[in-house]
PDB file of all heavy atoms in Angstrom:
ATOM      1  N   ALA A  69     -18.525  25.623  13.284  1.00  0.00           N
ATOM      2  CA  ALA A  69     -17.312  24.817  13.174  1.00  0.00           C
ATOM      3  C   ALA A  69     -17.702  23.350  13.155  1.00  0.00           C
ATOM      4  O   ALA A  69     -18.292  22.853  14.107  1.00  0.00           O
ATOM      5  CB  ALA A  69     -16.367  25.113  14.337  1.00  0.00           C
ATOM      6  N   ALA A  70     -17.402  22.656  12.064  1.00  0.00           N
ATOM      7  CA  ALA A  70     -17.702  21.223  11.975  1.00  0.00           C
ATOM      8  C   ALA A  70     -16.750  20.479  12.893  1.00  0.00           C
ATOM      9  O   ALA A  70     -15.633  20.933  13.113  1.00  0.00           O
ATOM     10  CB  ALA A  70     -17.540  20.755  10.539  1.00  0.00           C
ATOM     11  N   PRO A  71     -17.074  19.356  13.446  1.00  0.00           N
ATOM     12  CA  PRO A  71     -18.323  18.603  13.246  1.00  0.00           C
ATOM     13  C   PRO A  71     -19.431  19.036  14.197  1.00  0.00           C
ATOM     14  O   PRO A  71     -20.500  18.449  14.198  1.00  0.00           O
ATOM     15  CB  PRO A  71     -17.914  17.165  13.538  1.00  0.00           C
ATOM     16  CG  PRO A  71     -16.857  17.295  14.577  1.00  0.00           C
ATOM     17  CD  PRO A  71     -16.123  18.582  14.246  1.00  0.00           C
ATOM     18  N   SER A  72     -19.198  20.045  14.993  1.00  0.00           N
ATOM     19  CA  SER A  72     -20.213  20.497  15.944  1.00  0.00           C
ATOM     20  C   SER A  72     -20.749  21.850  15.502  1.00  0.00           C
ATOM     21  O   SER A  72     -20.224  22.885  15.893  1.00  0.00           O
ATOM     22  CB  SER A  72     -19.590  20.604  17.345  1.00  0.00           C
ATOM     23  OG  SER A  72     -20.515  21.131  18.241  1.00  0.00           O
ATOM     24  N   PRO A  73     -21.811  21.865  14.687  1.00  0.00           N
ATOM     25  CA  PRO A  73     -22.322  23.143  14.187  1.00  0.00           C
ATOM     26  C   PRO A  73     -22.793  24.088  15.283  1.00  0.00           C
ATOM     27  O   PRO A  73     -22.926  25.281  15.051  1.00  0.00           O
ATOM     28  CB  PRO A  73     -23.485  22.744  13.281  1.00  0.00           C
ATOM     29  CG  PRO A  73     -23.646  21.282  13.379  1.00  0.00           C
ATOM     30  CD  PRO A  73     -22.551  20.720  14.226  1.00  0.00           C
ATOM     31  N   ALA A  74     -22.996  23.564  16.489  1.00  0.00           N
ATOM     32  CA  ALA A  74     -23.399  24.440  17.594  1.00  0.00           C
ATOM     33  C   ALA A  74     -22.217  25.281  18.070  1.00  0.00           C
ATOM     34  O   ALA A  74     -22.405  26.315  18.703  1.00  0.00           O
ATOM     35  CB  ALA A  74     -23.939  23.604  18.749  1.00  0.00           C
ATOM     36  N   GLU A  75     -20.991  24.843  17.756  1.00  0.00           N
ATOM     37  CA  GLU A  75     -19.788  25.602  18.121  1.00  0.00           C
ATOM     38  C   GLU A  75     -19.453  26.576  17.005  1.00  0.00           C
ATOM     39  O   GLU A  75     -19.450  26.212  15.834  1.00  0.00           O
ATOM     40  CB  GLU A  75     -18.600  24.658  18.308  1.00  0.00           C
ATOM     41  CG  GLU A  75     -18.415  24.176  19.709  1.00  0.00           C
ATOM     42  CD  GLU A  75     -17.143  23.381  19.833  1.00  0.00           C
ATOM     43  OE1 GLU A  75     -16.047  23.991  19.799  1.00  0.00           O
ATOM     44  OE2 GLU A  75     -17.254  22.162  19.947  1.00  0.00           O
ATOM     45  N   ALA A  76     -19.146  27.795  17.374  1.00  0.00           N
ATOM     46  CA  ALA A  76     -18.767  28.799  16.387  1.00  0.00           C
ATOM     47  C   ALA A  76     -17.263  28.993  16.401  1.00  0.00           C
ATOM     48  O   ALA A  76     -16.616  28.871  17.439  1.00  0.00           O
ATOM     49  CB  ALA A  76     -19.473  30.115  16.700  1.00  0.00           C
ATOM     50  N   ARG A  77     -16.711  29.293  15.227  1.00  0.00           N
ATOM     51  CA  ARG A  77     -15.277  29.577  15.140  1.00  0.00           C
ATOM     52  C   ARG A  77     -14.946  30.811  15.960  1.00  0.00           C
ATOM     53  O   ARG A  77     -15.668  31.800  15.930  1.00  0.00           O
ATOM     54  CB  ARG A  77     -14.866  29.809  13.691  1.00  0.00           C
ATOM     55  CG  ARG A  77     -14.760  28.555  12.904  1.00  0.00           C
ATOM     56  CD  ARG A  77     -14.295  28.853  11.474  1.00  0.00           C
ATOM     57  NE  ARG A  77     -14.171  27.618  10.754  1.00  0.00           N
ATOM     58  CZ  ARG A  77     -15.196  26.970  10.207  1.00  0.00           C
ATOM     59  NH1 ARG A  77     -16.410  27.478  10.281  1.00  0.00           N
ATOM     60  NH2 ARG A  77     -15.009  25.828   9.584  1.00  0.00           N
ATOM     61  N   ASP A  78     -13.831  30.724  16.638  1.00  0.00           N
ATOM     62  CA  ASP A  78     -13.387  31.814  17.490  1.00  0.00           C
ATOM     63  C   ASP A  78     -11.869  31.889  17.334  1.00  0.00           C
ATOM     64  O   ASP A  78     -11.179  30.903  17.595  1.00  0.00           O
ATOM     65  CB  ASP A  78     -13.770  31.515  18.936  1.00  0.00           C
ATOM     66  CG  ASP A  78     -13.407  32.635  19.885  1.00  0.00           C
ATOM     67  OD1 ASP A  78     -12.602  33.521  19.522  1.00  0.00           O
ATOM     68  OD2 ASP A  78     -13.925  32.623  21.010  1.00  0.00           O
ATOM     69  N   TYR A  79     -11.356  33.024  16.912  1.00  0.00           N
ATOM     70  CA  TYR A  79      -9.927  33.138  16.645  1.00  0.00           C
ATOM     71  C   TYR A  79      -9.134  33.746  17.796  1.00  0.00           C
ATOM     72  O   TYR A  79      -7.983  34.103  17.620  1.00  0.00           O
ATOM     73  CB  TYR A  79      -9.696  33.895  15.336  1.00  0.00           C
ATOM     74  CG  TYR A  79     -10.136  33.061  14.147  1.00  0.00           C
ATOM     75  CD1 TYR A  79     -11.233  33.411  13.386  1.00  0.00           C
ATOM     76  CD2 TYR A  79      -9.472  31.886  13.836  1.00  0.00           C
ATOM     77  CE1 TYR A  79     -11.646  32.632  12.325  1.00  0.00           C
ATOM     78  CE2 TYR A  79      -9.882  31.094  12.783  1.00  0.00           C
ATOM     79  CZ  TYR A  79     -10.961  31.478  12.025  1.00  0.00           C
ATOM     80  OH  TYR A  79     -11.367  30.682  10.975  1.00  0.00           O
ATOM     81  N   ARG A  80      -9.752  33.807  18.979  1.00  0.00           N
ATOM     82  CA  ARG A  80      -8.935  34.142  20.139  1.00  0.00           C
ATOM     83  C   ARG A  80      -8.011  32.962  20.394  1.00  0.00           C
ATOM     84  O   ARG A  80      -8.222  31.869  19.870  1.00  0.00           O
ATOM     85  CB  ARG A  80      -9.822  34.389  21.363  1.00  0.00           C
ATOM     86  CG  ARG A  80     -10.659  35.654  21.244  1.00  0.00           C
ATOM     87  CD  ARG A  80     -11.568  35.797  22.411  1.00  0.00           C
ATOM     88  NE  ARG A  80     -12.522  34.665  22.378  1.00  0.00           N
ATOM     89  CZ  ARG A  80     -13.403  34.423  23.315  1.00  0.00           C
ATOM     90  NH1 ARG A  80     -13.479  35.182  24.383  1.00  0.00           N
ATOM     91  NH2 ARG A  80     -14.233  33.399  23.212  1.00  0.00           N
ATOM     92  N   ARG A  81      -7.013  33.133  21.228  1.00  0.00           N
ATOM     93  CA  ARG A  81      -6.075  32.048  21.516  1.00  0.00           C
ATOM     94  C   ARG A  81      -6.840  30.849  22.039  1.00  0.00           C
ATOM     95  O   ARG A  81      -7.680  30.972  22.913  1.00  0.00           O
ATOM     96  CB  ARG A  81      -5.012  32.504  22.530  1.00  0.00           C
ATOM     97  CG  ARG A  81      -3.991  31.438  22.882  1.00  0.00           C
ATOM     98  CD  ARG A  81      -3.162  31.034  21.673  1.00  0.00           C
ATOM     99  NE  ARG A  81      -2.085  30.133  22.049  1.00  0.00           N
ATOM    100  CZ  ARG A  81      -2.006  28.853  21.659  1.00  0.00           C
ATOM    101  NH1 ARG A  81      -2.947  28.321  20.895  1.00  0.00           N
ATOM    102  NH2 ARG A  81      -0.985  28.119  22.018  1.00  0.00           N
ATOM    103  N   HIS A  82      -6.564  29.702  21.465  1.00  0.00           N
ATOM    104  CA  HIS A  82      -7.221  28.469  21.867  1.00  0.00           C
ATOM    105  C   HIS A  82      -6.195  27.351  21.898  1.00  0.00           C
ATOM    106  O   HIS A  82      -5.126  27.454  21.314  1.00  0.00           O
ATOM    107  CB  HIS A  82      -8.366  28.121  20.908  1.00  0.00           C
ATOM    108  CG  HIS A  82      -7.915  28.022  19.478  1.00  0.00           C
ATOM    109  ND1 HIS A  82      -7.812  29.119  18.667  1.00  0.00           N
ATOM    110  CD2 HIS A  82      -7.508  26.979  18.742  1.00  0.00           C
ATOM    111  CE1 HIS A  82      -7.375  28.751  17.466  1.00  0.00           C
ATOM    112  NE2 HIS A  82      -7.181  27.452  17.493  1.00  0.00           N
ATOM    113  N   TRP A  83      -6.531  26.297  22.601  1.00  0.00           N
ATOM    114  CA  TRP A  83      -5.637  25.157  22.699  1.00  0.00           C
ATOM    115  C   TRP A  83      -6.216  24.009  21.894  1.00  0.00           C
ATOM    116  O   TRP A  83      -7.414  23.786  21.857  1.00  0.00           O
ATOM    117  CB  TRP A  83      -5.489  24.711  24.154  1.00  0.00           C
ATOM    118  CG  TRP A  83      -4.544  23.547  24.253  1.00  0.00           C
ATOM    119  CD1 TRP A  83      -3.198  23.616  24.394  1.00  0.00           C
ATOM    120  CD2 TRP A  83      -4.873  22.161  24.202  1.00  0.00           C
ATOM    121  NE1 TRP A  83      -2.654  22.349  24.426  1.00  0.00           N
ATOM    122  CE2 TRP A  83      -3.678  21.431  24.313  1.00  0.00           C
ATOM    123  CE3 TRP A  83      -6.058  21.454  24.070  1.00  0.00           C
ATOM    124  CZ2 TRP A  83      -3.629  20.041  24.293  1.00  0.00           C
ATOM    125  CZ3 TRP A  83      -6.008  20.069  24.047  1.00  0.00           C
ATOM    126  CH2 TRP A  83      -4.801  19.386  24.170  1.00  0.00           C
ATOM    127  N   THR A  84      -5.338  23.302  21.217  1.00  0.00           N
ATOM    128  CA  THR A  84      -5.715  22.087  20.507  1.00  0.00           C
ATOM    129  C   THR A  84      -4.533  21.133  20.595  1.00  0.00           C
ATOM    130  O   THR A  84      -3.382  21.575  20.625  1.00  0.00           O
ATOM    131  CB  THR A  84      -6.081  22.376  19.036  1.00  0.00           C
ATOM    132  OG1 THR A  84      -6.312  21.131  18.365  1.00  0.00           O
ATOM    133  CG2 THR A  84      -4.991  23.129  18.320  1.00  0.00           C
ATOM    134  N   PRO A  85      -4.792  19.834  20.641  1.00  0.00           N
ATOM    135  CA  PRO A  85      -3.675  18.892  20.696  1.00  0.00           C
ATOM    136  C   PRO A  85      -2.915  18.803  19.374  1.00  0.00           C
ATOM    137  O   PRO A  85      -1.833  18.236  19.327  1.00  0.00           O
ATOM    138  CB  PRO A  85      -4.337  17.562  21.059  1.00  0.00           C
ATOM    139  CG  PRO A  85      -5.752  17.711  20.629  1.00  0.00           C
ATOM    140  CD  PRO A  85      -6.086  19.172  20.759  1.00  0.00           C
ATOM    141  N   VAL A  86      -3.454  19.362  18.313  1.00  0.00           N
ATOM    142  CA  VAL A  86      -2.770  19.370  17.015  1.00  0.00           C
ATOM    143  C   VAL A  86      -2.210  20.768  16.794  1.00  0.00           C
ATOM    144  O   VAL A  86      -2.915  21.763  16.920  1.00  0.00           O
ATOM    145  CB  VAL A  86      -3.733  19.006  15.867  1.00  0.00           C
ATOM    146  CG1 VAL A  86      -3.029  19.073  14.526  1.00  0.00           C
ATOM    147  CG2 VAL A  86      -4.342  17.624  16.103  1.00  0.00           C
ATOM    148  N   HIS A  87      -0.926  20.835  16.486  1.00  0.00           N
ATOM    149  CA  HIS A  87      -0.313  22.132  16.200  1.00  0.00           C
ATOM    150  C   HIS A  87       0.802  21.940  15.179  1.00  0.00           C
ATOM    151  O   HIS A  87       1.158  20.816  14.849  1.00  0.00           O
ATOM    152  CB  HIS A  87       0.214  22.797  17.480  1.00  0.00           C
ATOM    153  CG  HIS A  87       1.324  22.039  18.122  1.00  0.00           C
ATOM    154  ND1 HIS A  87       1.107  21.017  19.012  1.00  0.00           N
ATOM    155  CD2 HIS A  87       2.668  22.147  17.994  1.00  0.00           C
ATOM    156  CE1 HIS A  87       2.264  20.526  19.403  1.00  0.00           C
ATOM    157  NE2 HIS A  87       3.229  21.194  18.793  1.00  0.00           N
ATOM    158  N   LEU A  88       1.328  23.025  14.691  1.00  0.00           N
ATOM    159  CA  LEU A  88       2.402  22.993  13.700  1.00  0.00           C
ATOM    160  C   LEU A  88       3.742  23.185  14.384  1.00  0.00           C
ATOM    161  O   LEU A  88       3.884  24.027  15.263  1.00  0.00           O
ATOM    162  CB  LEU A  88       2.205  24.104  12.663  1.00  0.00           C
ATOM    163  CG  LEU A  88       0.871  24.110  11.917  1.00  0.00           C
ATOM    164  CD1 LEU A  88       0.787  25.342  11.024  1.00  0.00           C
ATOM    165  CD2 LEU A  88       0.691  22.843  11.114  1.00  0.00           C
ATOM    166  N   ASP A  89       4.735  22.405  13.975  1.00  0.00           N
ATOM    167  CA  ASP A  89       6.125  22.598  14.392  1.00  0.00           C
ATOM    168  C   ASP A  89       6.924  22.952  13.148  1.00  0.00           C
ATOM    169  O   ASP A  89       6.878  22.214  12.161  1.00  0.00           O
ATOM    170  CB  ASP A  89       6.719  21.320  15.002  1.00  0.00           C
ATOM    171  CG  ASP A  89       6.216  21.042  16.398  1.00  0.00           C
ATOM    172  OD1 ASP A  89       5.600  21.925  17.010  1.00  0.00           O
ATOM    173  OD2 ASP A  89       6.448  19.921  16.895  1.00  0.00           O
ATOM    174  N   PHE A  90       7.624  24.067  13.181  1.00  0.00           N
ATOM    175  CA  PHE A  90       8.484  24.476  12.079  1.00  0.00           C
ATOM    176  C   PHE A  90       9.926  24.264  12.512  1.00  0.00           C
ATOM    177  O   PHE A  90      10.377  24.844  13.503  1.00  0.00           O
ATOM    178  CB  PHE A  90       8.255  25.952  11.719  1.00  0.00           C
ATOM    179  CG  PHE A  90       6.916  26.199  11.085  1.00  0.00           C
ATOM    180  CD1 PHE A  90       5.838  26.587  11.865  1.00  0.00           C
ATOM    181  CD2 PHE A  90       6.732  26.042   9.728  1.00  0.00           C
ATOM    182  CE1 PHE A  90       4.593  26.814  11.299  1.00  0.00           C
ATOM    183  CE2 PHE A  90       5.498  26.268   9.141  1.00  0.00           C
ATOM    184  CZ  PHE A  90       4.422  26.653   9.931  1.00  0.00           C
ATOM    185  N   VAL A  91      10.649  23.415  11.794  1.00  0.00           N
ATOM    186  CA  VAL A  91      12.056  23.129  12.093  1.00  0.00           C
ATOM    187  C   VAL A  91      12.898  24.172  11.375  1.00  0.00           C
ATOM    188  O   VAL A  91      12.775  24.359  10.160  1.00  0.00           O
ATOM    189  CB  VAL A  91      12.434  21.702  11.643  1.00  0.00           C
ATOM    190  CG1 VAL A  91      13.901  21.427  11.921  1.00  0.00           C
ATOM    191  CG2 VAL A  91      11.548  20.676  12.339  1.00  0.00           C
ATOM    192  N   VAL A  92      13.745  24.856  12.137  1.00  0.00           N
ATOM    193  CA  VAL A  92      14.568  25.946  11.599  1.00  0.00           C
ATOM    194  C   VAL A  92      16.033  25.692  11.912  1.00  0.00           C
ATOM    195  O   VAL A  92      16.363  24.912  12.806  1.00  0.00           O
ATOM    196  CB  VAL A  92      14.111  27.311  12.174  1.00  0.00           C
ATOM    197  CG1 VAL A  92      12.663  27.601  11.790  1.00  0.00           C
ATOM    198  CG2 VAL A  92      14.281  27.359  13.686  1.00  0.00           C
TER     199      VAL A  92
END
Side-chain angles (χ1 to χ4, degrees):
S72 175
E75 268 186 73
R77 284 182 179 81
D78 183 344
Y79 290 111
R80 291 176 296 175
R81 180 64 173 114
H82 56 275
W83 181 88
T84 174
V86 178
H87 65 274
L88 304 175
D89 285 347
F90 290 94
V91 178
V92 299

